[in-house]
Amino acid sequence: MNPSLKFLLAVLIALEISFTNTWTVNLGLAVIGLLVILSSRPSLKRLVLLFFVPLIPAVALAVAILLQSNAGIHFALVLFTRIYAYVFVGSAATLTTSVADLVMSLEQNAHIPSKFAYGFLGAFNLLPKIVSEVNVIRAAGNMRGQALHIWSPQLYFKAILASLDWSENLAEAMTSHGFSEDAPRTYFKQIRIRWWDWLIVIGSLALLQVALFGLHLQ
Amino acid sequence: MKYSNAWHLRDIILLTLIAIFFGVIYWIIGPLYNVLTVALTPVGLGPGANDIVMGIWVMAGPLSGYVFKKVGSATLGEFLGSVVEMFLGGQWGASTMISGVVQGVASELGFTFTGYKRYDWFSLNLSVLTTTIVTFGWDMIRNGYSKYHIGLLIALFIIRLISTWIFSGVLVKAIVNLLDRTHLMQTQTR
């Protein structure tokens, strides 16, 4: 499926179930999300995490409703299943799409300016460097007997200085390789929106409305 | 000082890099949030963990708003932070982006209300206030906060306000003060 539309659909579904209170629909969405995730053959470790990590906020919200409000067991169930629907539908989109595909699709199909697409992609590929930079900054602090915590301004300050340096270098490197901000581009990898992409988006949203209203009227 | 509103390749890369740094930091925070939630759940106060760490989650917004001084920079910074967190394998998948937009717009409002002209303690505090109100409103709908007893509701709001003030107010101001002393930002973010 087209990456832009896939993410649009996941976000629209998450938005809609934030405002509705039908736990069976939430459960159904979670199951569908899970099936999509399973079809991408994730590792067992990831699957276990997917099940257990949402359990923490889901239980917390449900218990809080039972103990701290008069909303009752039904609403607790709604919140519990809503968290799982969020996580499974959301992960169904992220686990089946690479960053590069999503960015290219956003550029070609959603027409975001190419400077945003390639600027983001260029920076994103520095991710491993950034993780190690955070460790370097903390190690450098430790060597001088200065422990840097999550609340230390120096940690962020040094991170921003490194970002300033790298962004300058990366932007110059991209420009010297022939990237110009608003010039028309051709694409090595073409990403198209097919008719069935629209069919899936519109069909799923229509089904969701039918399910929500149908169960609401009962 | 007058700032340009156009985004250039260098600004976009810088904003993404800052967002990634924060994404990495949020990702480190994840376990802390989970431990806090587990600890508070038995007394029915699990959602309070969300309010305690809220300030850390929304830091990227006011910081980018302050550093770039452009219309939309706070929203974009916070949103990119959430996208990065999503691809790092944060626990929420694509739904993270909704929180990112809500938090981004929430912190942006503080700068919008001052017409993008004031970048000082006042606009930062205003941003803290709008962030707290808007994200709290969103949690009232999404996480069912609206059903809690009024006492708990007020307590959660105050916890969130304090957390946001400490991290997105005081800490962001401290970072910006350090940056100002380097004199790197005035020339480079134009």
Side-chain angles (χ1 to χ4, degrees):
Chain A
M1 191 179 171
N2 181 280
S4 300
L5 287 181
K6 194 192 315 182
F7 274 78
L8 180 71
L9 181 62
V11 167
L12 285 178
I13 290 175
L15 256 185
E16 177 150 13
I17 58 169
S18 305
F19 292 93
T20 58
N21 294 327
T22 317
W23 69 272
T24 40
V25 171
N26 292 347
L27 188 67
L29 285 169
V31 170
I32 295 168
L34 183 62
L35 290 177
V36 176
I37 294 170
L38 286 176
S39 74
S40 75
R41 300 179 172 278
S43 63
L44 189 67
K45 184 183 163 217
R46 182 165 280 263
L47 211 56
V48 170
L49 277 179
L50 261 178
F51 267 99
F52 281 99
V53 174
L55 195 62
I56 299 169
V59 170
L61 285 174
V63 170
I65 285 295
L66 293 178
L67 295 185
Q68 306 285 350
S69 80
N70 305 321
I73 189 122
H74 174 259
F75 193 68
L77 198 57
V78 167
L79 285 181
F80 187 89
T81 52
R82 187 184 282 173
I83 295 286
Y84 270 91
Y86 275 144
V87 174
F88 285 2
V89 169
S91 303
T94 40
L95 293 182
T96 55
T97 319
S98 72
V99 182
D101 279 347
L102 176 64
V103 170
M104 282 178 199
S105 165
L106 284 175
E107 186 200 2
Q108 294 177 32
N109 309 133
H111 300 290
I112 66 162
S114 60
K115 57 185 175 185
F116 279 95
Y118 290 94
F120 178 82
L121 205 54
F124 192 83
N125 286 326
L126 288 177
L127 184 61
K129 237 185 124 174
I130 290 178
V131 175
S132 77
E133 182 70 20
V134 172
N135 292 330
V136 166
I137 292 172
R138 297 183 80 164
N142 283 337
M143 274 191 266
R144 280 182 281 120
Q146 188 185 27
L148 294 177
H149 300 286
I150 202 90
W151 55 82
S152 314
Q154 282 85 1
L155 174 66
Y156 301 91
F157 169 67
K158 289 179 176 175
I160 293 171
L161 285 192
S163 309
L164 269 170
D165 195 20
W166 295 348
S167 65
E168 191 78 54
N169 291 345
L170 188 55
E172 273 174 24
M174 285 170 74
T175 313
S176 64
H177 275 78
F179 182 86
S180 43
E181 284 190 4
D182 295 312
R185 302 183 61 87
T186 54
Y187 305 110
F188 170 67
K189 184 177 179 184
Q190 304 255 355
I191 298 182
R192 293 205 170 77
I193 299 182
R194 319 264 178 191
W195 62 268
W196 61 77
D197 289 325
W198 283 114
L199 187 72
I200 294 174
V201 174
I202 296 169
S204 330
L205 287 177
L207 265 178
L208 180 61
Q209 310 314 316
V210 171
L212 282 172
F213 275 98
L215 288 166
H216 190 70
L217 288 177
Q218 266 185 2
Chain B
M1 197 185 297
K2 188 94 180 79
Y3 291 90
S4 149
N5 258 326
W7 287 93
H8 293 294
L9 184 61
R10 203 189 152 283
D11 305 320
I12 297 163
I13 296 175
L14 178 59
L15 183 66
T16 314
L17 285 177
I18 292 177
I20 294 174
F21 266 113
F22 276 94
V24 170
I25 291 165
Y26 298 159
W27 189 48
I28 299 171
I29 286 298
L32 172 72
Y33 161 74
N34 288 331
V35 169
L36 267 177
T37 311
V38 170
L40 291 171
T41 295
V43 280
L45 296 175
N50 184 30
D51 299 275
I52 294 173
V53 298
M54 181 52 85
I56 306 174
W57 265 324
V58 295
M59 268 176 76
L63 187 74
S64 8
Y66 215 102
V67 165
F68 287 92
K69 301 183 173 59
K70 294 178 196 293
V71 176
S73 51
T75 312
L76 206 54
E78 187 66 40
F79 174 66
L80 289 179
S82 70
V83 172
V84 169
E85 193 198 355
M86 170 177 91
F87 278 112
L88 273 174
Q91 42 184 292
W92 304 101
S95 322
T96 310
M97 290 195 293
I98 301 177
S99 317
V101 171
V102 170
Q103 291 163 5
V105 171
S107 55
E108 178 93 32
L109 282 177
F111 299 110
T112 312
F113 287 151
T114 49
Y116 297 97
K117 288 195 184 69
R118 291 181 68 164
Y119 287 93
D120 50 17
W121 205 198
F122 176 77
S123 58
L124 203 55
N125 274 318
L126 198 60
S127 169
V128 166
L129 193 64
T130 54
T131 305
T132 311
I133 295 173
V134 173
T135 58
F136 200 79
W138 175 235
D139 273 331
M140 283 182 83
I141 302 167
R142 194 191 75 167
N143 288 335
Y145 275 29
S146 54
K147 298 278 199 288
Y148 294 149
H149 299 307
I150 188 76
L152 178 65
L153 204 60
I154 292 171
L156 289 177
F157 184 85
I158 292 173
I159 293 172
R160 179 174 301 212
L161 185 63
I162 293 172
S163 163
T164 311
W165 186 70
I166 290 174
F167 284 99
S168 298
V170 178
L171 185 55
V172 165
K173 186 70 181 144
I175 297 166
V176 172
N177 283 349
L178 284 174
L179 282 173
D180 280 345
R181 275 164 55 192
T182 63
H183 298 285
L184 280 168
M185 303 311 291
Q186 284 96 335
T187 49
Q188 294 204 344
T189 52
R190 294 297 293 273

